[in-house]
Amino acid sequence: MELSTGLTLADYTEQEIFTPLGMHNTSWNFSKLNQSNLASPHTTVDNTLSSIPFYELATWPDGGLRSSAFDMARFLAAVMNEGVLASRKSDIKILEPDSVIQMLTPSQNGFGVFWYSGWLWNYGGKDHILIGHNGAEVGYFSYLLFNPKDNVGVILLANTDRGDKIESIEELIKDLFEATQVW
């Protein structure tokens, strides 16, 4: 990235994605965020949920992005709309449609660039193939998922470990998608 653009990944995403989309509560750099707006991370120690200090990752590009649900919704909406965030004022283009297709096209085992394109979820009484990304670090986990057929997305951000709660998390996501269904 730095060789082709002359910018670090953090600077490039700030300039080309976060700022144009109005993602004011998103950064790879903890010090650039208003800490009073951040949810403190929690983990389970001896069956007790405990707050842990904020931390940054040495391998920050693989899980160190901090963002609000609103900001991530803006990003997901742009991806779902071929790289354009539609707005009442004006459309904001962050990606070319061909780039979005390349990002979402699986290259190996359902994985593309950043996205997984083969999650099978059953909700509303039928199977749906979802595209998305998830991640987890100590004290946090997240899901960005969308159904390209229905053009509906769901974002789930949490300030605790996923741990053994994966089934209840998947049920919550299923409930969120079901809530979007037109009956």
Side-chain angles (χ1 to χ4, degrees):
M1 162 89 40
E2 289 183 42
L3 292 176
S4 63
T5 67
L7 299 170
T8 66
L9 174 65
D11 290 339
Y12 181 84
T13 53
E14 177 74 32
Q15 178 180 308
E16 300 296 326
I17 298 172
F18 307 154
T19 297
L21 291 179
M23 297 173 66
H24 305 297
N25 294 300
T26 302
S27 182
W28 296 100
N29 187 330
F30 180 74
S31 65
K32 289 186 176 183
L33 296 168
N34 180 348
Q35 274 87 48
S36 65
N37 288 340
L38 299 177
S40 62
H42 289 74
T43 192
T44 303
V45 178
D46 297 327
N47 293 323
T48 303
L49 191 62
S50 302
S51 177
I52 59 175
F54 289 111
Y55 62 92
E56 292 195 83
L57 300 171
T59 57
W60 58 269
D62 75 355
L65 184 68
R66 288 182 170 83
S67 185
S68 68
F70 179 82
D71 282 7
M72 290 312 300
R74 294 177 70 80
F75 175 71
L76 185 58
V79 170
M80 291 170 57
N81 194 36
E82 298 180 330
V84 177
L85 178 63
S87 163
R88 283 177 271 161
K89 295 178 184 174
S90 65
D91 291 349
I92 303 163
K93 184 177 186 177
I94 60 165
L95 294 164
E96 295 295 329
D98 288 347
S99 296
V100 175
I101 290 168
Q102 184 179 1
M103 284 172 39
L104 302 180
T105 301
S107 59
Q108 185 175 14
N109 299 324
F111 288 95
V113 178
F114 180 81
W115 301 92
Y116 180 69
S117 297
W119 262 309
L120 178 64
W121 290 63
N122 185 291
Y123 61 86
K126 3 181 239 192
D127 288 338
H128 301 268
I129 302 293
L130 304 180
I131 297 173
H133 180 83
N134 70 341
E137 295 292 342
V138 176
Y140 302 102
F141 72 86
S142 62
Y143 285 82
L144 279 75
L145 299 166
F146 73 96
N147 183 330
K149 183 179 173 207
D150 296 337
N151 205 32
V152 172
V154 166
I155 296 169
L156 178 63
L157 306 177
N159 63 324
T160 187
D161 297 322
R162 205 172 28 198
D164 60 358
K165 303 175 211 68
I166 193 72
E167 287 181 21
S168 60
I169 293 164
E170 289 178 355
E171 282 299 313
L172 175 58
I173 291 170
K174 177 181 158 184
D175 291 345
L176 291 169
F177 272 106
E178 284 180 345
T180 69
Q181 299 296 293
V182 177
W183 304 104

